[in-house]
Amino acid sequence: MRWENRLYFPTNLVTQNLTVGDLLIVTRNTDDSLLAIVAENGSTVENQLLWLFGFTDLGHPGFSIRGELETEQDRIAFTSRLILENIGIVVETQGDSWLDRIFTKFGKAFPTTREFSEFARNTIQADVRDDYDNVLLAWMDREEILFRTLEKHLIADRLKQGFDNDVDEFIKFSLSVQNRRKCRVGFALENHLEAMFNACGIRYSRGSCTENKAKPDFLFPGIDEYRDPSFDAINLTMLGVKSTCKDRWRQVLSEADRIDRKHLLTLEPAISLNQTMEMQSKLLQLVIPKSLHDTYLPTQKEWLMSISDFIELTRRRQNN
């Protein structure tokens, strides 16, 4: 006699798009509710979920049960939060012990992203030149915790004031919260990279115009050299910066015509093999913090650059 378990589910918009080989993860939440997550076979999202839930060492299991997660992905907190929030799960961060210091520095208002990034860096005692890759992640993680702590209290204060039954005003406020979250992470990443380049003595231009009003995030050694036709293009470097890639990585390809091989720095783990193969075919080099390289396949890891690798490249070209 053979026992067999079967999972039945109703037909709906989600189940109609499922196919053999897709990933299904069912989690039990702290309130004992269940969350079902489905990802397309071979997609970046599937790779990220397998890594997040600790299944990467098992290949693609037909069926597996995990209890508590006690693996490396729990310690790379910022990256884990990015994945979870991309699938609609908001992670609460605990940083209330910093609140008085934040209010003393900025009052009860959002400072500029540049000011807040500098504040976050100053709360961590680390020499960036000792470990470029891990220090960048530490800066990003600390800023995220501090920002969410401030945001939580400012939003709570605004909600207490109420909206006098003005639906439009409430929607406007809600949208401003969402837009601030989306924009801030990208700017914070650029701010921390800028601080890193300054600490290393690397020359650059940030957000300068090239052809067709394109604005690469960083040009090395600078926009003046880029616009000088006598400057050898082999010593020019362009770096695009995106906290997550998705399909937006193609935007980088048209941002500096003089530079054939472009670089893109992201904090996104486990991008699919198809995506990275297309990047390679378009002469786009991916730059990823070293601790995230293990979320990629062995063939992908051979091609990836770390932040330390990129800094050495720009330093070498700058000295030519």
Side-chain angles (χ1 to χ4, degrees):
M1 179 180 295
R2 186 180 69 176
W3 292 94
E4 196 172 71
N5 294 306
R6 294 178 179 269
L7 180 65
Y8 293 92
F9 45 82
T11 300
N12 53 42
L13 182 61
V14 175
T15 59
Q16 286 177 339
N17 286 282
L18 300 182
T19 188
V20 175
D22 286 350
L23 176 69
L24 170 65
I25 294 177
V26 180
T27 70
R28 186 175 71 178
N29 301 322
T30 54
D31 61 359
D32 284 336
S33 63
L34 296 179
L35 172 67
I37 309 169
V38 180
E40 182 182 0
N41 182 29
S43 66
T44 295
V45 174
E46 181 193 46
N47 293 344
Q48 293 173 345
L49 289 171
L50 289 172
W51 170 76
L52 182 68
F53 288 96
F55 291 127
T56 49
D57 293 337
L58 305 176
H60 192 318
F63 179 78
S64 183
I65 298 175
R66 292 297 302 272
E68 295 182 0
L69 299 182
E70 297 178 351
T71 51
E72 181 65 24
Q73 60 266 35
D74 301 308
R75 295 190 290 275
I76 309 177
F78 178 79
T79 308
S80 298
R81 285 198 298 269
L82 280 180
I83 296 172
L84 290 169
E85 294 191 4
N86 281 338
I87 59 176
I89 302 173
V90 178
V91 180
E92 291 291 334
T93 56
Q94 300 296 324
D96 289 347
S97 61
W98 293 99
L99 196 58
D100 288 341
R101 188 171 169 183
I102 294 173
F103 285 160
T104 299
K105 178 72 174 178
F106 302 112
K108 293 189 176 183
F110 287 111
T112 65
T113 308
R114 184 180 290 275
E115 290 173 326
F116 206 72
S117 294
E118 182 179 8
F119 173 73
R121 288 193 300 273
N122 289 336
T123 66
I124 295 179
Q125 299 298 318
D127 188 338
V128 66
R129 292 166 294 186
D130 291 338
D131 190 343
Y132 303 115
D133 295 80
N134 285 329
V135 169
L136 179 66
L137 285 175
W139 283 347
M140 289 296 294
D141 188 51
R142 178 59 58 84
E143 180 166 352
E144 183 72 8
I145 291 172
L146 296 178
F147 173 81
R148 290 301 177 91
T149 299
L150 175 61
E151 181 190 59
K152 176 182 175 181
H153 285 78
L154 294 184
I155 289 177
D157 288 346
R158 180 65 185 89
L159 292 176
K160 288 177 182 177
Q161 297 173 21
F163 296 90
D164 297 326
N165 295 319
D166 189 334
V167 176
D168 289 339
E169 184 66 21
F170 173 77
I171 292 174
K172 180 180 177 181
F173 173 73
S174 177
L175 289 174
S176 71
V177 171
Q178 295 298 321
N179 290 334
R180 185 185 297 111
R181 285 184 176 183
K182 291 177 182 178
C183 294
R184 185 195 57 81
V185 175
F187 284 127
L189 182 54
E190 290 182 34
N191 291 337
H192 294 315
L193 286 169
E194 184 175 53
M196 186 173 290
F197 298 144
N198 288 339
C200 297
I202 292 176
R203 304 199 315 272
Y204 63 89
S205 293
R206 179 179 174 183
S208 298
C209 282
T210 57
E211 301 81 7
N212 301 316
K213 297 183 179 180
K215 291 185 177 181
D217 294 315
F218 291 96
L219 276 174
F220 307 86
I223 189 62
D224 291 336
E225 289 83 358
Y226 183 86
R227 291 172 177 168
D228 181 358
S230 66
F231 189 85
D232 195 340
I234 199 172
N235 290 320
L236 293 171
T237 309
M238 192 214 81
L239 180 68
V241 178
K242 296 186 183 299
S243 57
T244 58
C245 286
K246 300 181 181 177
D247 290 328
R248 298 177 298 125
W249 62 267
R250 295 180 180 85
Q251 299 169 0
V252 175
L253 301 177
S254 60
E255 290 182 346
D257 290 348
R258 288 195 65 194
I259 302 172
D260 293 329
R261 182 173 295 276
K262 299 174 174 66
H263 291 75
L264 173 63
L265 187 148
T266 184
L267 305 181
E268 186 166 7
I271 296 174
S272 71
L273 180 60
N274 288 339
Q275 285 261 35
T276 56
M277 287 178 64
E278 185 178 356
M279 290 176 184
Q280 287 178 277
S281 71
K282 301 294 186 182
L283 300 181
L284 181 67
Q285 174 64 58
L286 209 55
V287 182
I288 306 258
K290 186 67 175 177
S291 58
L292 297 180
H293 285 202
D294 285 341
T295 69
Y296 288 80
L297 297 172
T299 53
Q300 293 173 298
K301 288 165 64 175
E302 294 174 359
W303 163 70
L304 293 176
M305 287 185 72
S306 67
I307 298 173
S308 296
D309 294 333
F310 179 79
I311 286 177
E312 288 306 311
L313 173 69
T314 55
R315 181 182 286 125
R316 185 171 64 252
R317 290 180 174 177
Q318 177 175 295
N319 293 333
N320 283 347

